[in-house]
Amino acid sequence: MYDFMINKKICNVPIISGCFFIINTSIIDQIGFFDERYFLYFEDWDLSRRVNSKYKNIFYPNVSIYHKYASDANYKFKSFIIYIDSAIKYFNKWGWFFDYQRKKINKK
């Protein structure tokens, strides 16, 4: 678990899980909605990265949401292939080992 989560610190984070986030529709009008190249996996990461290029993704620890996680990619080969395909597209777009934008956000 990350230090900002343990200490319940409100902060800007580079990526927010798509299982639950709130976003102003005017931001969607500016940056666009989900990238259609992704299917099922990594589309939330990509959207939150694009949001963070102009705004902030705020981690707000005073609210909790329960998400019953059950990834098909762990149990079904076809879902695993979709996961790998989306991961390749995501890392090709944002960087594999040298993700300077994420490092910059994390430093702040």
Side-chain angles (χ1 to χ4, degrees):
M1 189 166 293
Y2 298 103
D3 189 46
F4 67 88
M5 295 172 85
I6 294 168
N7 295 325
K8 297 191 175 204
K9 180 180 173 187
I10 297 171
C11 61
N12 182 26
V13 294
I15 297 171
I16 294 179
S17 172
C19 68
F20 184 83
F21 59 77
I22 298 171
I23 188 167
N24 190 315
T25 54
S26 66
I27 295 172
I28 295 296
D29 291 340
Q30 291 177 33
I31 65 163
F33 203 50
F34 291 115
D35 186 332
E36 293 181 7
R37 291 177 289 179
Y38 301 99
F39 174 71
L40 200 56
Y41 301 101
F42 291 93
E43 74 283 354
D44 51 348
W45 287 25
D46 179 71
L47 180 63
S48 62
R49 293 290 298 267
R50 288 186 289 122
V51 167
N52 216 339
S53 68
K54 293 186 176 191
Y55 302 95
K56 291 182 179 179
N57 291 322
I58 302 299
F59 170 75
Y60 188 74
N62 300 327
V63 173
S64 27
I65 303 299
Y66 175 74
H67 175 246
K68 187 176 179 182
Y69 178 76
S71 174
D72 272 356
N74 292 332
Y75 307 104
K76 298 179 183 174
F77 184 71
K78 184 177 179 181
S79 296
F80 177 71
I81 297 301
I82 293 168
Y83 177 87
I84 295 299
D85 183 58
S86 289
I88 290 168
K89 290 173 184 171
Y90 175 83
F91 290 111
N92 282 343
K93 182 175 182 177
W94 294 102
W96 284 80
F97 300 104
F98 305 104
D99 188 341
Y100 299 109
Q101 183 186 23
R102 182 181 48 80
K103 284 183 181 180
K104 184 179 170 184
I105 294 165
N106 287 341
K107 274 189 173 182
K108 289 181 184 177

